Amino acid sequence: MNRIAEPPRRLLMGNEAIAWGAIEAGVRVVAAYPGTPSTEVTEKILHHAGEYGIYAEWSVNEKVALETAIAASWTGARAMACMKQVGLNVASDPLMTLAYLGVKGGLVLIVADDPGPHSSQTEQDTRLFARFAKLPVLDPATPEEAREMVKAAFQLSEDLQVPVIVRPTTRTAHVCQDVAFAPPPKPALPLPPVRFERDPGWVILPALSAKRHRRLNAIQEEMRRWFLRHRLNGIATPCGEEATMSPAPPSLCDEATERMGNSGDLARATADLAIVAGGVAYNYVREGLDILGVSIPVYKVGAPVPLPAAPIVDFLRDKTAVLIVEEQEPVIEEQLTIEAYRTGLSLSIIGKHSGHLPREGEFNTDLLLPLLRRFVSDSIHCHGVPLGKGAPATSADRVTAKAQATPVTPETSATTETVASGAEMAVPPAPPLRTPILCAGCPHRNSFYAFIQAARSRDALFTGDIGCYTLGAMPPLGAADTIVCMGASVAMAAGFSQIEPDRPHIAFLGDSTFFHSGIPPLVNAVYQQARMTLVVLDNRTTAMTGHQPHPGLGRKGTGEVAPTIDIAAVARGCGVEWVRTVDPYDIAATVAAAKEALDYPGVSVLIARRDCVNLVRRSTPHRIDPDACRRCGICLRKFGCPALYEVKSLAHGEGQGGKTTVAIAREKCFGCGGCAQVCPWKAISPEVES
């Protein structure tokens, strides 16, 4: 008779288990910045990257790492960014926007917390950050659970199209566990190609932001249902029999049984108690109860944000006191307290807000044992009376249940204000819609137009950024396929180039943004040997916010003279070998430089330098010769200067089927001559002074 082979077992460190979970889930791109206690996740993946066709890199910082992962996710590949908790501060800018825009391929962030702290400057709790970003968090208690949760996180990410945070704490990340595990089969290489598909949903403009925020709020309940459906939270197996079978040291159970006469009395004395434990703290609770030799039902929370609190309240219906155990901040406790109040549940909640557990430092079984002992013994002495600080709690100490107040919504709030004022206010008419657009004469328009012409028929991907040039995304230019946050254009273009190398990738950002957050991703692009073009739209100011100076201008905010930091020199200092500067008002020269940049087999930087039109005097306005104009519409529909507009043609209108022609609004024209350069019929020229 053949014996069924038992699965092999292997001792896995928590971070190693996370790495294998990601590989088993089919991760295609992993980017990270090292930081204890998260480092080993990426080390393990780098070690096996070649075998499984994974692109993995140590990025120059966590922001760049996340932006690289975003690019991969938006092609449909599964991607992961790894960091420690303080690294999430660096990555918070793209993360907050990503929460709105969502993902395509599953995107998982491994953010390892360091309570203690052992090797960090703060003890910040990533679960709070996730609540701020309204993103789901999985909180593994063991290496084996971490491996399974990483696989679940990818599925959750794709099911709800949101990034998912897996938050191991130091002990989960660094402890080793004997688990049933065999490495997954190696895939046939190369892996099937993936490709970014254009979608307006990847460009964060204000109108989209408002819609996506409503969507993010709306799916919070879906996240809770997903957690419950996949059993990430639930009542854990009681420890009673297992505990009594272990060689018991002198235990509370023994002492209490002796006092109360039999174990049945002890069971009745603790029947109205419960414990809720999250993350690695669950292990300390179980071990503590084993040592004490008592059995108290434990609700285990593996998915604390957003917390499905209703099932926990149901679990607590017949209890008089609950002990909530979680490391760091009272994230579970606060969500559960709100739900208990909302549903009228009356019981004592023992945790951090009651002063029984610290909000600082790492937990362990020794720390919890005195509290567990007191939690049980107080119930024994005062059966039915919740635990207090030295004296039995009174009814005032309990959570007082109140009927839920009418939720405050914008509608009810508005109604209240109307009643209070005693009169309805007239609703003003909506202002006319004014589509945002680059200024007439803006040199950025010429740069976008030049690159569109240079990359024509090459299916180039344009990554945009935050500033005036965000408006390059608007029609007719449509020169931004992605926009996430300041500086993201560079990292994302580089990230895209790693996963779809046969396509030109062009990043646009401004001169001020270059100094703000464009330099680290440029260093990363050179370091990772990406193939991409960075276009620095240098209009010699921080235009969108009111023309503040930056380090490239040689003056401070006070007007004092300052050293001038040359962008081209910085780019060369970052290792870029192809660096050019052009005047975007010369469109032909800009197109030629753009073609050369796109042909360069590495990182190329083109600086398009021309002062902002709001800081210089305008030139002679242009006019259109109606006899030369062929009404092709290129100036209007391809170039899109707001000084151009359509009018009914007096000369050709009725006689030629009501055709329109193009005119130039003299008061708007800056005289840049861009429209004259794009007109194939030479119908546009400067006005001639009479």
Side-chain angles (χ1 to χ4, degrees):
M1 180 177 176
N2 294 331
R3 296 182 58 187
I4 299 176
E6 294 184 358
R9 302 195 68 82
R10 189 162 166 176
L11 195 64
L12 289 182
M13 177 199 272
N15 282 343
E16 188 181 7
I18 290 171
W20 279 117
I23 294 172
E24 290 177 90
V27 70
R28 293 277 295 266
V29 170
V30 177
Y33 186 79
T36 304
S38 70
T39 306
E40 296 85 359
V41 176
T42 309
E43 292 281 15
K44 178 57 65 176
I45 287 179
L46 283 163
H47 184 72
H48 294 284
E51 304 165 13
Y52 291 93
I54 300 170
Y55 173 76
E57 69 171 45
W58 284 123
S59 305
V60 297
N61 64 36
E62 295 84 352
K63 178 176 182 291
V64 171
L66 179 54
E67 290 160 353
T68 302
I70 293 171
S73 167
W74 286 0
T75 67
R78 286 188 165 184
M80 190 164 78
C82 309
M83 60 200 74
K84 64 184 299 181
Q85 89 281 13
V86 292
L88 189 58
N89 301 339
V90 182
S92 60
D93 201 7
L95 179 68
M96 298 302 290
T97 306
L98 181 64
Y100 283 25
L101 292 179
V103 306
K104 184 177 180 183
L107 197 160
V108 173
L109 285 88
I110 305 297
V111 186
D113 280 3
D114 184 20
H118 295 278
S119 57
S120 304
Q121 57 270 49
T122 71
E123 285 188 276
Q124 68 187 62
D125 190 328
T126 294
R127 297 175 303 165
L128 286 180
F129 212 121
R131 291 192 73 186
F132 178 45
K134 305 179 182 179
L135 293 176
V137 175
L138 307 187
D139 194 359
T142 65
E144 186 170 23
E145 191 172 79
R147 175 172 151 241
E148 295 303 321
M149 280 190 174
V150 168
K151 291 185 277 188
F154 277 108
Q155 191 59 54
L156 169 60
S157 177
E158 291 176 355
D159 285 352
L160 300 187
Q161 298 181 337
V162 293
V164 177
I165 296 174
V166 176
R167 174 242 188 193
T169 52
T170 304
R171 294 301 156 189
T172 304
H174 284 167
V175 75
C176 291
Q177 184 181 11
D178 180 25
V179 300
F181 169 74
K186 297 178 178 60
L189 300 177
L191 298 175
V194 290
R195 198 162 184 83
F196 175 84
E197 301 294 339
R198 291 180 176 83
D199 187 323
W202 303 135
V203 179
I204 190 71
L205 296 175
L208 176 66
S209 178
K211 292 179 183 175
R212 301 298 293 184
H213 190 193
R214 283 195 290 273
R215 188 254 179 192
L216 183 61
N217 285 331
I219 64 171
Q220 296 296 304
E221 196 55 39
E222 289 184 49
M223 294 177 190
R224 295 185 180 95
R225 287 196 292 268
W226 200 100
F227 293 161
L228 295 174
R229 194 162 61 247
H230 291 79
R231 301 178 183 277
L232 296 175
N233 296 350
I235 302 170
T237 305
C239 60
E241 285 191 9
E242 294 175 7
T244 55
M245 288 172 66
S246 61
S251 69
L252 181 64
C253 181
D254 297 332
E255 298 167 13
T257 301
E258 185 179 345
R259 283 202 306 272
M260 301 191 72
N262 60 64
S263 59
D265 293 335
L266 175 62
R268 283 190 291 278
T270 58
D272 55 0
L273 302 180
I275 297 174
V276 175
V280 72
Y282 167 77
N283 301 320
Y284 309 140
V285 168
R286 290 298 303 266
E287 186 175 5
L289 293 176
D290 285 354
I291 292 172
L292 294 177
V294 295
S295 177
I296 296 175
V298 179
Y299 197 98
K300 182 176 181 298
V301 177
V305 177
L307 181 70
I312 306 179
V313 166
D314 291 342
F315 163 69
L316 298 174
R317 283 290 175 200
D318 61 345
K319 310 300 180 188
T320 60
V322 58
L323 172 63
I324 302 177
V325 185
E326 55 188 322
E327 285 187 327
Q328 300 185 285
E329 297 297 326
V331 174
I332 298 172
E333 183 179 331
E334 290 180 354
Q335 294 179 87
L336 189 54
T337 300
I338 291 171
E339 183 67 10
Y341 178 85
R342 193 184 70 80
T343 58
L345 175 66
S346 177
L347 84 169
S348 289
I349 298 177
I350 311 301
K352 296 174 190 293
H353 281 297
S354 67
H356 291 86
L357 283 168
R359 299 170 75 144
E360 313 84 22
E362 191 175 28
F363 284 6
N364 55 52
T365 305
D366 290 341
L367 181 145
L368 286 181
L369 264 177
L371 177 60
L372 287 171
R373 184 185 298 274
R374 187 175 171 187
F375 185 57
V376 175
S377 62
D378 276 15
S379 181
I380 292 170
H381 291 303
C382 307
H383 180 50
V385 180
L387 180 66
K389 271 187 171 179
T394 67
S395 57
D397 299 320
R398 301 179 178 223
V399 176
T400 304
K402 294 184 180 297
Q404 181 187 2
T406 302
V408 178
T409 66
E411 291 74 17
T412 58
S413 176
T415 302
T416 304
E417 289 178 7
T418 301
V419 172
S421 66
E424 291 190 5
M425 298 183 64
V427 179
L433 181 63
R434 179 171 177 264
T435 305
I437 192 169
L438 292 167
C439 299
C442 176
H444 299 342
R445 177 179 295 100
N446 298 30
S447 299
F448 286 128
Y449 180 84
F451 267 88
I452 290 170
Q453 298 306 310
R456 191 168 50 187
S457 77
R458 298 182 65 172
D459 193 23
L461 177 59
F462 292 177
T463 57
D465 221 287
I466 304 298
C468 290
Y469 39 88
T470 298
L471 300 176
M474 305 301 292
L477 295 170
D481 297 314
T482 69
I483 295 178
V484 175
C485 66
M486 290 186 73
S489 61
V490 190
M492 293 190 65
F496 279 124
S497 80
Q498 303 291 359
I499 201 161
E500 46 176 23
D502 58 332
R503 189 181 208 177
H505 298 92
I506 307 165
F508 294 93
L509 54 63
D511 42 344
S512 183
T513 305
F514 177 81
F515 291 111
H516 176 278
S517 49
I519 299 171
L522 182 60
V523 171
N524 196 68
V526 174
Y527 172 53
Q528 307 295 349
Q529 298 179 289
R531 178 170 182 172
M532 57 158 287
T533 296
L534 167 61
V535 186
V536 182
L537 302 167
D538 183 2
N539 62 356
R540 314 294 292 156
T541 187
T542 311
M544 198 165 198
T545 53
H547 305 289
Q548 293 78 22
H550 60 64
L553 302 177
R555 58 182 169 83
K556 302 179 183 177
T558 58
E560 297 172 274
V561 175
T564 301
I565 312 299
D566 180 58
I567 293 175
V570 172
R572 292 190 185 94
C574 292
V576 181
E577 296 180 351
W578 194 102
V579 182
R580 304 282 190 278
T581 300
V582 295
D583 179 359
Y585 272 10
D586 186 342
I587 293 179
T590 306
V591 171
K595 289 180 178 176
E596 189 180 346
L598 295 179
D599 288 338
Y600 184 74
V603 177
S604 53
V605 173
L606 183 64
I607 302 163
R609 179 169 295 158
R610 168 64 72 159
D611 286 356
C612 174
V613 293
N614 293 303
L615 296 178
V616 294
R617 296 186 63 181
R618 67 175 184 169
S619 301
T620 305
H622 281 52
R623 60 179 292 277
I624 297 178
D625 179 353
D627 294 328
C629 177
R630 304 291 183 90
R631 293 172 293 284
C632 65
I634 290 177
C635 59
L636 198 67
R637 291 190 288 274
K638 301 290 186 182
F639 193 63
C641 176
L644 298 161
Y645 65 102
E646 283 185 305
V647 292
K648 284 286 184 183
S649 171
L650 298 177
H652 310 283
E654 295 181 359
Q656 298 195 15
K659 289 184 178 178
T660 59
T661 187
V662 180
I664 295 178
R666 190 176 190 279
E667 70 280 7
K668 289 185 177 180
C669 180
F670 188 77
C672 70
C675 56
Q677 295 180 61
V678 304
C679 176
W681 313 109
K682 307 300 181 187
I684 305 176
S685 59
E687 291 181 353
V688 178
E689 295 184 7
S690 57

